[in-house]
Amino acid sequence: MYKVDKKDLIYTMSPDHSPTLRVESGSVVTFETCDCFEDQIQSADTPFGELDWNRINPASGPVFIEGAEPGDILAVHIQKIEINSRGVMVTGPNLGVMGFELQENVIKMIPIEDGKAILSDKLQVPLNPMIGVIGTAPAKEAISCGTPGDHGGNMDCKQMREGTTLLLPVNVPGALFALGDLHAAMADGEVAVCGVEIAGEVTVKLDVIKGKSWPLPMAINEEHLMTIASEKELDKAADRAVINMVRFLHDELDLPKAEATFLLSAAGDLRVCQVVDPLKTARVELPLEYAKAAGLDLTIVGR
């Protein structure tokens, strides 16, 4: 078992980072993570103005996967997510959807008890532990870990949970994979600019897939096949997520484009991941039963 320490942090996904670890395809790696504020907030009284905003959304890594070459696909099997016993939420002026109306910054510490995030005595939200930042290095320019894109990054997709296999592009030798920004609970949209931000550990299995050209990022779990897209405008992200799914069904499974479009309109759900990052993220969820009926071979991705 390999492990990445939470001291091994990056703030960009970049082809120029030196790997903290080198592993073979098929290796299992555990990533220790800080929360999205790099654990700077330890109480609700933490002075908001003293936060170092250059240390936001760090990812642990990166990991170099031997044999991964540009054009390959990296399959990230999320095996386990363990979270700490307390999270934090923050919102205020110019933060999130309501930032135009909020007058002061608010920090709220969130205890994690009995499978729930305790927002108050009356409001207790079931946990759905997930990964906010998860991706590979882009081919050329460095991209902030706070920004999503075709390399993955800060997609804030609540389906990045235990049991999901995320498919990412390999843009540089070794892929340079990293992750961070765990949430104990987060709803689609992440409208406050945060979920229940929390530190923890994530265990993944990393497999290199060769000979496939798919519209990435994609994801598969026990329920859905998913395409994910990020754009400056949400409607463009939504359109591209749909287009990517239709193209995958057509190119990989030989489904005529009209038939693929009918299938999505009848059975596929178009959902919002987040609307608060520099690029907004949408996903299409197609029930896995239909993808399998159309001929999807799950053994290709190791499922």
Side-chain angles (χ1 to χ4, degrees), residues 141-289:
E141 78 287 356
I143 297 177
S144 167
C145 286
T147 299
D150 290 348
H151 68 294
N154 194 28
M155 298 182 292
D156 283 318
C157 173
K158 72 177 187 180
Q159 292 288 8
M160 297 302 108
R161 55 178 174 81
E162 287 184 2
T164 292
T165 295
L166 174 62
L167 303 170
L168 292 167
V170 176
N171 298 307
V172 299
L176 297 181
F177 170 78
L179 64 80
D181 182 33
L182 305 187
H183 303 88
M186 195 196 83
D188 281 337
E190 200 190 24
V191 297
V193 87
C194 66
V196 180
E197 308 293 333
I198 200 161
E201 289 189 352
V202 179
T203 299
V204 301
K205 181 172 178 282
L206 301 171
D207 285 324
V208 176
I209 300 173
K210 294 185 176 290
K212 292 293 181 181
S213 180
W214 293 346
L216 304 174
M218 296 181 66
I220 303 173
N221 58 26
E222 66 276 10
E223 298 170 345
H224 296 105
L225 172 69
M226 291 166 273
T227 48
I228 306 166
S230 299
E231 295 282 355
K232 187 70 175 177
E233 298 174 1
L234 181 58
D235 56 348
K236 291 183 178 179
D239 286 350
R240 193 152 70 89
V242 172
I243 291 166
N244 285 352
M245 181 65 81
V246 169
R247 288 178 176 169
F248 175 80
L249 295 172
H250 174 72
D251 295 342
E252 181 67 19
L253 305 183
D254 296 323
L255 203 63
K257 287 185 178 179
E259 292 297 321
T261 304
F262 288 154
L263 175 60
L264 294 190
S265 202
D269 288 313
L270 176 58
R271 300 190 183 277
V272 173
C273 295
Q274 58 77 28
V275 295
V276 293
D277 295 333
L279 300 181
K280 297 172 173 58
T281 307
R283 70 184 184 274
V284 169
E285 295 181 351
L286 177 65
L288 194 58
E289 61 185 291

Side-chain angles (χ1 to χ4, degrees), residues 28-41:
V28 174
V29 184
T30 296
F31 292 77
E32 186 180 28
T33 71
C34 302
D35 69 22
C36 79
F37 302 105
E38 203 178 312
D39 302 337
Q40 294 181 77
I41 299 175

Side-chain angles (χ1 to χ4, degrees), residues 54-133:
N54 292 316
R55 296 164 56 195
I56 301 300
N57 280 320
S60 300
V63 171
F64 186 105
I65 299 91
E66 302 286 354
E69 297 293 338
D72 294 342
I73 293 173
L74 182 66
V76 182
H77 308 282
I78 304 171
Q79 295 183 338
K80 192 170 186 179
I81 300 176
E82 298 178 278
I83 57 174
N84 288 4
S85 60
R86 187 181 66 171
V88 61
M89 299 189 79
V90 168
T91 197
N94 302 314
L95 296 176
V97 173
M98 294 303 298
F100 74 98
E101 192 169 288
L102 298 174
Q103 300 300 312
E104 61 182 2
N105 295 306
V106 178
I107 295 174
K108 188 175 185 68
M109 307 308 296
I110 311 292
I112 306 300
E113 299 175 1
D114 300 323
K116 295 180 180 180
I118 311 301
L119 302 187
S120 70
D121 291 341
K122 296 180 179 180
L123 301 174
Q124 302 178 11
V125 177
L127 301 181
N128 64 318
M130 47 79 64
I131 306 164
V133 174

